[in-house]
Amino acid sequence: MKHRLMIVILVGVFCLLGADMKAAITDPYEIINRCYQASGGLDKLKTQKTSYVEGKIIIVGAGIEGTFSKWSEIPIKSRQDVDLKVMKVVSGDNGDYAWSVDANGKVQIARDSVTLKQRRIQELYADYDHLNRDSKNFRITYVGTDTAGGSVCYAVRIANTINTDTVLNYYDTTGFLLKKSVSINPEGENITWYSDYRPVDGILNAFRQDALSLPTGQRQTVEMTKFEVNIPIDSSLFEPPKQDVRDFKFANGKSAENIPFQFIERHIYLNVTINGKTSLWILDSGAGRSVLDSTFAANAGLKMEGNIKGQGVSRVVDVSFTTIPQYSLEGLEIDQQKIMAISLQGLFHKIMGLEVAGILGYDFLSRFVTRIDYAKEQISFYDPDSFSYSGDGTIINAPLSQDNMFHVPMTVDSKDSGLWNLDLGAGNVDFHFPYAESIGLINQKGIDALGFGAGGDMHTRSRKFTSIKFAGFTLDKPIISWPLEKGQGAFSGRELVGNIGNDLLHNFVIYLDYKRGQVIVEKGAAFGQFIPRDNSGLQVGYGDSDQVEVLFASPGTPADIAGLKIGDIVQTINGKPTKDYDGLIAIRKLLREKPGTVYDLNVKREDKTLTLKLVLKDLFE
């Protein structure tokens, strides 16, 4: 299971302008240069070396508002403090690297390739390289005229040769004020409308910015209340905290080793104790934040605040915030944490028949070096300050991405190479939709299925490939999936080739070292042993009154040939009532038996009872 939350705080110092241009302009460079001239002049703008801005933020419709302060020094140094009451976030750039401090005080240094490219683009903007017609870094084009903010505007697109991000700006044709800007990146779009222009040291700036973040649909308003330029700023302000948070404690001082976990349906589950009550949590390195089930939170009497939009696997989810008290795993205690809350239990119960209280994501994993031995079903946590690796595994340098995840290289069939998200919360290996579309996979034949995650379900297709090369190891005949439609979730991003889940990772012993930005891969005892796969094409879950319901019958598979349809209630299997089996997981194990196995199913369809014969076969032969 994978989810991701995106909150965009758009606070910037903009050079905006006013001029009376009677003749239409189609040269984009002339449009931009005239804007600078009308704003007070490029020479004047270049004298502004530092700035300080403060104001308020409203997350529209979420019941959340707060304040921000931002310090900047040309070309790239910055610090931004955001206090939304339900959480505080600090971020910055000291001129050498970008950094952030999350709501629980964890420091992250951003040295991933995506951040480095964005920083380089920011430096080039600060040097006004985008005004150079011969620039090797920017491509500026005139798009035409369009309406934005109630005005007819010139539309100018700015692309670059460093990454795939583009910006589409809309300038009022009569006054040349920037009315709207659309920033498009691999994760989505941010649309900002500008108003309430005021002069600061002779340069016009927008004191109000209304933003819409897509695909979440979350809106926010930023209003500046103070704006100063060329003020002295202590350089230490741009540095991250010298001491990282220490909010955990080991029973023996330095580690908690060989903790047993349950490997259920290709996912890792751990026992977590809160206020003396032990519950099941899923481990998920693909979760940018840890998550608590909202029903569990309510039953525990935890206060939930706000309601913003987060990004799930395929759709948008509603997210609130709460604080959990100190919690523990075997040999390990973690202090109280601010955490997100979404609806989880309904999904896990319907699909797995499990009661799951939460997801242990970045907030948890980033505190430790984590070792997962899939073959032994054991996990160990080490203090990163005292951890030292001395094995013979492959060490992959994988600086954390902006979404708090590891991106690692992998190659499929010796040709489809690139960075993949390493996701302990995913069962399969999946291409992301844009990459799958670019290599012509979408319409290729395969076995269809219904994938489930935070925010809803998505249709996927799988087939057998020739090989995977990962961390110096080669695995033959892997099954890889891809979504059949783009959707609005994590699998719709263009930045990565795809997602690596436990179907591949179970072959190894994996170390996740967040402090050093490294993933270490050792050959596991179960290397090359495939996890048994479904041989039916039938997906079942719990319906009303916990009846076993058909969720999907893949076309052309034994389930489809048997005549099973979505919504059918499976009452008996070979004469035994489904309620007498040990839950959904036991029933799924039946569907993985060897090809040729026959099951007689009694199925209720509306007011009829049908007897159907299901004959298993290898779906990927």
Side-chain angles (χ1 to χ4, degrees):
M1 179 168 184
K2 179 173 179 170
H3 84 285
R4 182 162 34 187
L5 176 72
M6 297 183 70
I7 302 175
V8 181
I9 305 298
L10 296 176
V11 181
V13 180
F14 292 86
C15 174
L16 304 175
L17 31 134
D20 184 12
M21 301 298 298
K22 297 181 180 179
I25 303 173
T26 59
D27 181 350
Y29 291 93
E30 184 177 353
I31 292 172
I32 296 175
N33 275 290
R34 285 179 180 264
C35 287
Y36 281 123
Q37 293 171 11
S39 71
L42 197 57
D43 290 341
K44 176 67 174 177
L45 193 60
K46 288 180 178 180
T47 66
Q48 298 185 349
K49 300 298 185 182
T50 65
S51 64
Y52 171 72
V53 183
E54 65 182 43
K56 63 181 181 179
I57 301 171
I58 300 171
I59 309 298
V60 180
I64 297 176
E65 59 181 79
T67 60
F68 74 89
S69 300
K70 182 173 183 178
W71 299 259
S72 301
E73 181 180 305
I74 298 298
I76 201 169
K77 290 184 178 180
S78 68
R79 178 192 175 107
Q80 181 172 276
D81 293 11
V82 177
D83 184 354
L84 295 177
K85 299 178 183 178
V86 297
M87 68 173 184
K88 296 180 180 179
V89 180
V90 182
S91 59
D93 195 306
N94 65 1
D96 294 322
Y97 53 79
W99 55 269
S100 63
V101 183
D102 69 15
N104 292 306
K106 181 64 181 175
V107 177
Q108 177 181 328
I109 307 300
R111 291 191 175 94
D112 62 292
S113 61
V114 174
T115 301
L116 293 177
K117 290 177 181 179
Q118 291 174 341
R119 293 180 74 253
R120 177 56 183 156
I121 292 169
Q122 185 178 341
E123 289 174 329
L124 290 167
Y125 270 118
D127 196 37
Y128 300 98
D129 186 63
H130 59 294
L131 299 182
N132 179 7
R133 292 178 185 270
D134 298 321
S135 171
K136 297 179 180 179
N137 303 300
F138 292 100
R139 296 292 180 268
I140 300 179
T141 55
Y142 174 72
V143 177
T145 58
D146 202 347
T147 301
S151 301
V152 178
C153 296
Y154 294 121
V156 175
R157 177 179 288 110
I158 304 177
N160 68 83
T161 59
I162 298 171
N163 64 17
T164 60
D165 294 359
T166 60
V167 178
L168 187 60
N169 287 335
Y170 295 82
Y171 301 96
D172 189 337
T173 55
T174 58
F176 280 86
L177 292 176
L178 182 63
K179 291 290 187 178
K180 174 182 171 183
S181 181
V182 181
S183 176
I184 305 170
N185 58 62
E187 300 302 325
E189 297 183 14
N190 293 313
I191 307 170
T192 307
W193 292 265
Y194 303 94
S195 59
D196 188 15
Y197 299 107
R198 305 179 196 176
V200 178
D201 192 33
I203 300 294
L204 286 174
N205 287 271
F207 272 61
R208 178 179 174 121
Q209 301 164 24
D210 295 281
L212 169 64
S213 180
L214 299 175
T216 64
Q218 186 66 65
R219 292 181 177 272
Q220 66 184 32
T221 296
V222 173
E223 294 180 348
M224 301 180 192
T225 57
K226 187 175 184 179
F227 199 145
E228 299 176 331
V229 297
N230 288 333
I231 59 170
I233 301 177
D234 187 339
S235 60
S236 65
L237 192 70
F238 300 121
E239 298 292 338
K242 293 182 179 180
Q243 296 295 324
D244 204 352
V245 67
R246 295 283 298 184
D247 52 7
F248 60 88
K249 181 173 63 177
F250 293 110
N252 70 356
K254 292 186 177 180
S255 65
E257 298 184 58
N258 302 324
I259 302 169
F261 65 79
Q262 299 180 61
F263 194 56
I264 305 172
E265 298 292 291
R266 292 176 293 167
H267 290 80
I268 297 170
Y269 293 89
L270 291 164
N271 289 319
V272 176
T273 301
I274 301 177
N275 286 338
K277 181 179 179 180
T278 301
S279 54
L280 209 58
W281 289 57
I282 191 169
L283 191 69
D284 186 359
S285 65
R289 295 285 300 273
S290 293
V291 172
L292 183 67
D293 173 67
S294 53
T295 301
F296 182 94
N299 291 339
L302 302 179
K303 181 182 178 181
M304 289 186 289
E305 300 177 277
N307 182 19
I308 65 174
K309 301 297 182 182
Q311 194 172 357
V313 171
S314 61
R315 291 183 178 85
V316 172
V317 297
D318 292 320
V319 179
S320 297
F321 298 89
T322 190
T323 299
I324 60 173
Q326 183 186 76
Y327 65 98
S328 64
L329 291 80
E330 184 180 314
L332 174 63
E333 290 184 352
I334 299 94
D335 295 342
Q336 76 170 26
Q337 300 279 304
K338 288 188 177 294
I339 197 170
M340 295 179 180
I342 66 175
S343 178
L344 289 174
Q345 283 192 5
L347 171 65
F348 279 100
H349 180 74
K350 177 180 179 180
I351 305 305
M352 304 288 290
L354 298 175
E355 303 302 319
V356 175
I359 298 172
L360 294 171
Y362 168 79
D363 310 69
F364 172 77
L365 286 164
S366 61
R367 271 65 181 164
F368 318 107
V369 175
T370 302
R371 179 183 187 270
I372 306 108
D373 188 331
Y374 285 87
K376 293 182 179 179
E377 296 190 4
Q378 292 179 341
I379 190 167
S380 300
F381 302 104
Y382 302 95
D383 187 328
D385 290 339
S386 58
F387 175 79
S388 178
Y389 181 72
S390 59
D392 58 359
T394 301
I395 299 176
I396 303 172
N397 289 317
L400 284 179
S401 65
Q402 292 178 320
D403 51 11
N404 303 329
M405 301 177 198
F406 290 108
H407 297 167
V408 295
M410 189 172 81
T411 300
V412 175
D413 289 357
S414 300
K415 58 185 178 65
D416 294 314
S417 298
L419 293 177
W420 297 63
N421 185 50
L422 192 148
D423 189 356
L424 299 180
N428 298 329
V429 178
D430 298 272
F431 286 108
H432 284 182
F433 179 86
Y435 191 86
E437 185 179 44
S438 72
I439 61 174
L441 268 182
I442 303 303
N443 296 319
Q444 286 192 19
K445 293 181 179 180
I447 302 300
D448 289 359
L450 201 59
F452 301 92
D457 53 59
M458 64 177 178
H459 288 273
T460 67
R461 183 167 292 163
S462 305
R463 72 168 175 84
K464 187 177 291 184
F465 287 73
T466 302
S467 67
I468 279 177
K469 293 183 179 180
F470 171 65
F473 300 93
T474 299
L475 288 158
D476 296 326
K477 299 180 180 179
I479 305 298
I480 305 178
S481 306
W482 61 91
L484 294 180
E485 48 191 40
K486 183 176 181 180
Q488 296 182 324
F491 282 10
S492 64
R494 292 175 292 167
E495 175 190 338
L496 302 175
V497 175
N499 211 58
I500 300 173
N502 293 319
D503 199 32
L504 172 72
L505 298 176
H506 86 278
N507 291 278
F508 306 101
V509 175
I510 302 288
Y511 294 75
L512 303 182
D513 187 342
Y514 283 79
K515 180 177 181 178
R516 297 167 184 83
Q518 293 180 338
V519 175
I520 304 171
V521 182
E522 297 176 348
K523 188 174 184 178
F527 183 85
Q529 299 176 19
F530 291 103
I531 297 174
R533 303 193 71 90
D534 171 64
N535 287 322
S536 71
L538 175 64
Q539 292 178 256
V540 295
Y542 279 141
D544 297 337
S545 303
D546 284 350
Q547 299 179 94
V548 177
E549 180 180 340
V550 175
L551 302 179
F552 192 72
S554 183
T557 66
D560 182 41
I561 294 169
L564 288 157
K565 298 186 181 299
I566 295 174
D568 285 351
I569 303 300
V570 182
Q571 296 180 313
T572 69
I573 302 175
N574 286 351
K576 182 178 178 178
T578 51
K579 63 181 179 63
D580 292 343
Y581 286 90
D582 189 18
L584 292 173
I585 294 171
I587 292 174
R588 288 202 183 99
K589 287 181 179 178
L590 294 178
L591 302 177
R592 298 187 187 117
E593 290 294 334
K594 64 182 181 180
T597 301
V598 179
Y599 296 114
D600 292 319
L601 310 179
N602 279 350
V603 172
K604 183 178 180 181
R605 183 179 298 162
E606 298 178 347
D607 58 350
K608 297 179 181 179
T609 299
L610 308 174
T611 299
L612 304 177
K613 188 178 294 294
L614 180 67
V615 183
L616 302 186
K617 76 169 187 177
D618 186 343
L619 303 183
F620 297 98
E621 60 182 358

